[in-house]
Amino acid sequence: MGDMPNMTTTSASATGGTATTSAQDQAKTASAKAAVVQLTDLPPGFKEQLPEDGLDQEATFQALTTCLGVSARGVGSASSPTYVRGIATQVASTVEYVPMPAVQAMAMAFAGSDKLTSCSKEVFTAGVKRNAPEGATPGPVEVAPLEFPQLGQLTSASRTTTTMQLPGGPAIPITQDLIIVFKGEAVSRLTFLNPGAPFPADLQRALVEKVVSRT
């Protein structure tokens, strides 16, 4: 987060290297499915959100990597459902296995820079507007680094804060955290959203540690 061979382009042998690559993809995908946040990881009160109402974390991450000028074709990935408790306390996760050279490029981009700050502001502002409830008016968006224990080779954590003015109601503070952990070929991404206050820190840390420990 040493160059290693790009695992998506290993040459096929006379005995059928393509089948080996396919099997590797399946194994990595299975590993990713087992690693993402499970309902059993969460305390009572959480349930699966309807897909159309869940956090669009993949759109956010793709926009971020595009802005940063990095991308990778994973060799296996999986996303959890969005889990919700109460009105809008939410968590979702994705684990993706990526060839090491691409992991290193992504990790460098997310290690912290002026470009990361500007891209985050741009992407999260667009995301808040895109996901605002009908009739609600989002306030200014602020993005700042989030202090979080270092896991794997690198942990990148950011916090987005805004307000959501509901029709005829108060302006509700909204906090969304994005935590990305680079561990070997595994890139684990977790998104946490909570109205009124940040997502509970102890639960947030426990969930990130569980996901990373399973990669």
Side-chain angles (χ1 to χ4, degrees), residues 110-132:
F110 279 94
S113 65
D114 291 341
K115 188 172 184 180
L116 176 61
T117 300
S118 61
C119 283
S120 296
K121 184 72 176 280
E122 175 187 324
V123 168
F124 286 114
T125 296
V128 166
K129 292 178 179 179
R130 184 173 64 247
N131 295 303

Side-chain angles (χ1 to χ4, degrees), residues 20-214:
T20 301
T21 301
S22 177
Q24 181 187 62
D25 291 352
Q26 293 174 12
K28 294 294 188 184
T29 298
S31 294
K33 287 180 179 178
V36 295
V37 173
Q38 315 290 325
L39 185 58
T40 53
D41 295 330
L42 294 159
F46 278 89
K47 62 181 180 180
E48 289 188 19
Q49 182 79 290
L50 293 174
E52 61 268 26
D53 296 328
L55 295 168
D56 62 347
Q57 59 167 351
E58 290 312 295
T60 298
F61 185 73
Q62 292 302 320
L64 266 175
T65 55
T66 298
C67 183
L68 291 168
V70 293
S71 63
R73 191 174 187 86
V75 296
S77 67
S79 296
S80 73
T82 294
Y83 299 107
V84 61
R85 180 175 66 186
I87 297 175
T89 299
Q90 299 176 68
V91 56
S93 62
T94 293
V95 170
E96 185 168 17
Y97 288 90
V98 179
M100 279 302 298
V103 170
Q104 291 162 355
M106 279 196 293
M108 289 178 65
F110 279 94
S113 65
D114 291 341
K115 188 172 184 180
L116 176 61
T117 300
S118 61
C119 283
S120 296
K121 184 72 176 280
E122 175 187 324
V123 168
F124 286 114
T125 296
V128 166
K129 292 178 179 179
R130 184 173 64 247
N131 295 303
E134 186 175 354
T137 303
V141 172
E142 297 295 332
V143 183
L146 172 66
E147 288 191 13
F148 196 85
Q150 286 294 311
L151 304 171
Q153 284 73 52
L154 175 74
T155 299
S156 173
S158 61
R159 170 164 290 173
T160 302
T161 55
T162 187
T163 57
M164 198 65 67
Q165 179 71 55
L166 301 177
I172 301 174
I174 302 291
T175 301
Q176 180 171 304
D177 296 339
L178 174 63
I179 300 173
I180 307 172
V181 179
F182 298 87
K183 177 187 173 186
E185 294 178 336
V187 181
S188 302
R189 312 192 290 271
L190 293 93
T191 301
F192 302 88
L193 184 143
N194 205 45
F199 192 94
D202 289 348
L203 177 57
Q204 181 182 77
R205 178 171 177 172
L207 291 172
V208 175
E209 290 177 342
K210 283 182 179 180
V211 169
V212 174
S213 72
R214 294 192 292 241

